[in-house]
């Protein structure tokens, strides 16, 4: 893996590996062993979604105890979310949509942001604010690979991370596109593996994801 600066850019976050795991944690005790298992498999950009009451504590634990991981916060919907994530030790943020308030907060915090977009207008607004590494969400429901192919003409300077409905089975189809830098998916950290502490399975899934080819 390439060395990273203390504050990676949005492009560095997206281009580090073919897959960014979308992680939902309900138990702080799972955070560190999960992160270590993912890093052991070659995946170090870890999106911990702010969907559970323990998410910030999980981000803090990973930031403190797994130095080889680059932990980020997902489901960032407000400036307050961005501030809390940064205080917990997050080094990047992922949002399900885009607002200028979230964009400004992340810029001021020097927190790399992957803003969520689903329309051409949202892409243009994010670009106006300096963002060209974007999350396409929800990818399957918003048009999938056909939409990304259509966007490649007018937005050929933008790179995307499709998230939402991406699986081990369809990831290759998305990664083959020239405007896709990586995909986001939850299959690398399945809930049943977390519940049973099957970290070897997580490492195997991460290694398979890290080996996926990109276009």
């Amino acid at each position: 893996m390439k060395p990273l600066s203390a504050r990676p850019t949005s492009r560095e976050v997206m281009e580090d590996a073919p897959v960014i795991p979308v992680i939902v944690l309900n138990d702080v005790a799972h955070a560190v062993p999960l992160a270590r298992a993912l890093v052991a498999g070659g995946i170090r950009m870890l999106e911990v979604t702010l969907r559970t009451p323990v998410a910030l504590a999980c981000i803090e634990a990973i930031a403190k105890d797994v130095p080889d991981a680059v932990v980020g916060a997902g489901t960032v919907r407000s400036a307050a979310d961005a501030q809390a994530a940064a205080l917990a030790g997050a080094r990047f943020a992922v949002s399900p949509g885009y607002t200028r308030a979230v964009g400004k907060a992340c810029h001021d915090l020097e927190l790399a942001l992957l803003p969520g977009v689903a329309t051409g207008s949202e892409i243009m607004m994010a670009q106006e604010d300096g963002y060209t590494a974007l999350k396409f969400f929800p990818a399957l429901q918003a048009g999938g690979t056909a939409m990304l192919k259509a966007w490649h003409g007018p937005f050929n300077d933008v790179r995307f991370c499709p998230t939402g409905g991406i699986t081990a089975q369809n990831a290759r189809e998305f990664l083959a596109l020239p405007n896709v830098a990586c995909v986001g998916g939850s299959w690398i950290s399945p809930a049943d593996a977390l519940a049973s502490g099957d970290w070897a399975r997580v490492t195997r899934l991460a290694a398979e994801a890290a080996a996926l080819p990109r276009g």
Side-chain angles (χ1 to χ4, degrees):
M1 294 183 183
K2 295 186 297 183
L4 286 174
S5 61
R7 297 198 176 274
T9 66
S10 300
R11 292 259 174 160
E12 286 175 324
V13 170
M14 287 209 316
E15 293 173 358
D16 196 62
V19 182
I20 295 176
V22 179
I23 301 165
V24 179
L25 286 165
N26 293 290
D27 187 339
V28 178
H30 292 160
V32 168
L34 172 65
R36 287 175 176 159
L38 290 165
V39 170
I43 300 288
R44 61 178 171 178
M45 298 293 171
L46 313 181
E47 177 191 341
V48 176
T49 62
L50 301 183
R51 300 180 191 175
T52 69
V54 299
L56 289 170
C58 291
I59 289 170
E60 188 172 7
I62 294 169
K64 177 184 175 185
D65 293 332
V66 193
D68 291 334
V70 181
V71 64
T75 324
V76 172
R77 301 188 302 165
S78 66
D81 284 345
Q83 290 172 331
L87 283 172
R91 293 166 66 184
F92 67 94
V94 184
S95 60
Y98 181 68
T99 68
R100 294 217 146 111
V102 168
K104 184 179 186 304
C106 289
H107 178 269
D108 292 347
L109 292 162
E110 297 184 332
L111 191 64
L113 173 65
L114 306 185
V117 299
T119 68
S121 296
E122 291 168 339
I123 295 171
M124 290 166 66
M125 184 167 69
Q127 278 192 293
E128 284 179 3
D129 294 344
Y131 293 100
T132 59
L134 309 178
K135 168 183 171 177
F136 175 36
F137 178 81
L140 253 60
Q141 296 86 342
T145 56
M147 181 67 84
L148 287 162
K149 289 173 183 177
W151 278 345
H152 185 51
F155 301 115
N156 58 21
D157 55 340
V158 177
R159 298 274 277 169
F160 295 97
C161 173
T163 305
I166 311 300
T167 66
Q169 289 69 44
N170 64 15
R172 289 174 182 267
E173 184 180 359
F174 283 89
L175 288 166
L177 300 178
N179 55 347
V180 169
C182 67
V183 298
S186 59
W187 81 88
I188 306 176
S189 55
D192 59 338
L194 272 62
S196 63
D198 191 352
W199 309 122
R201 178 183 169 200
V202 171
T203 295
R204 176 177 58 79
L205 292 170
E208 291 170 357
L212 287 169
R214 290 187 267 196

